[in-house]
């Protein structure tokens, strides 16, 4: 049951990340675009998904340059991350379980960092972002439970 829940969360992460990426692309192409998750000026996923923190986690661009190949949408990182976890999620070896717990821990740390930016810097509530944070926490918990 844990493996099934883990895989469903990974699939959910992929779907939400794809949606987030499509919102960002649509908003960049058409500044008047209003996403389904844009409810007000302070409850807007497109605000967060098109901010300077939405690419390279707001870290890669300033360090390596805005045009660096690693300075891509956080949503694209999410798609790859959840796809990788989906593939690894069925593994029962102790080593793979440890990798899943480590990946979950790192994703939770990044979620805290991005949640801080969302709340304290952008003064926004992003439903897509918060959903991703919840998925990350649940994946970490499931990995830890499965490991022990």
């Amino acid at each position: 049951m844990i493996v099934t829940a883990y895989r469903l969360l990974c699939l959910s992460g992929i779907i939400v990340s794809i949606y987030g990426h499509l919102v960002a692309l649509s908003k960049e192409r058409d500044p008047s675009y209003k996403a389904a998750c844009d409810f007000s000026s302070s409850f807007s996923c497109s605000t967060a998904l098109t901010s300077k923190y939405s690419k390279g986690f707001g870290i890669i661009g300033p360090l390596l340059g805005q045009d660096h190949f690693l300075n891509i949408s956080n949503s694209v990182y999410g798609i790859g991350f959840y796809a990788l976890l989906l593939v690894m999620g069925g593994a029962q070896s102790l080593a793979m379980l440890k990798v899943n717990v480590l990946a979950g821990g790192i994703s939770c740390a990044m979620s805290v960092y991005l949640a801080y930016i969302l709340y304290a810097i952008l003064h926004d509530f992003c439903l897509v972002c918060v959903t991703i944070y919840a998925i990350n926490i649940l994946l970490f918990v499931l990995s830890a439970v499965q490991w022990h």
Side-chain angles (χ1 to χ4, degrees), residues 48-67:
L49 296 172
T50 57
S51 75
K52 68 180 183 178
Y53 303 99
S54 68
K55 290 187 178 177
F57 306 100
I59 299 169
I60 294 174
L63 289 178
L64 302 175
Q66 298 302 323
D67 295 328

Side-chain angles (χ1 to χ4, degrees), residues 33-140:
Y33 171 77
K34 185 170 172 26
C37 53
D38 288 344
F39 299 104
S40 71
S41 61
S42 60
F43 195 134
S44 168
C45 60
S46 62
T47 297
L49 296 172
T50 57
S51 75
K52 68 180 183 178
Y53 303 99
S54 68
K55 290 187 178 177
F57 306 100
I59 299 169
I60 294 174
L63 289 178
L64 302 175
Q66 298 302 323
D67 295 328
H68 195 276
F69 74 96
L70 291 175
N71 195 37
I72 58 174
S73 169
N74 296 347
S75 296
V76 172
Y77 279 113
I79 294 164
F81 176 72
Y82 296 117
L84 183 61
L85 289 184
L86 182 63
V87 171
M88 294 184 339
Q92 298 297 317
S93 73
L94 183 60
M96 290 307 290
L97 290 174
K98 287 180 180 179
V99 169
N100 285 346
V101 170
L102 178 64
I106 292 169
S107 72
C108 284
M110 290 303 294
S111 293
V112 169
Y113 163 73
L114 291 171
Y116 169 79
I117 290 169
L118 186 64
Y119 175 76
I121 297 174
L122 298 177
H123 307 288
D124 189 29
F125 184 89
C126 168
L127 190 58
V128 169
C129 306
V130 172
T131 301
I132 288 295
Y133 307 156
I135 289 170
N136 288 342
I137 292 166
L138 291 170
L139 285 171
F140 176 68

Side-chain angles (χ1 to χ4, degrees), residues 1-11 89 142:
M1 177 154 148
I2 289 177
V3 172
T4 301
Y6 190 89
R7 288 181 176 156
L8 287 173
L9 283 168
C10 290
L11 286 172
L142 287 177

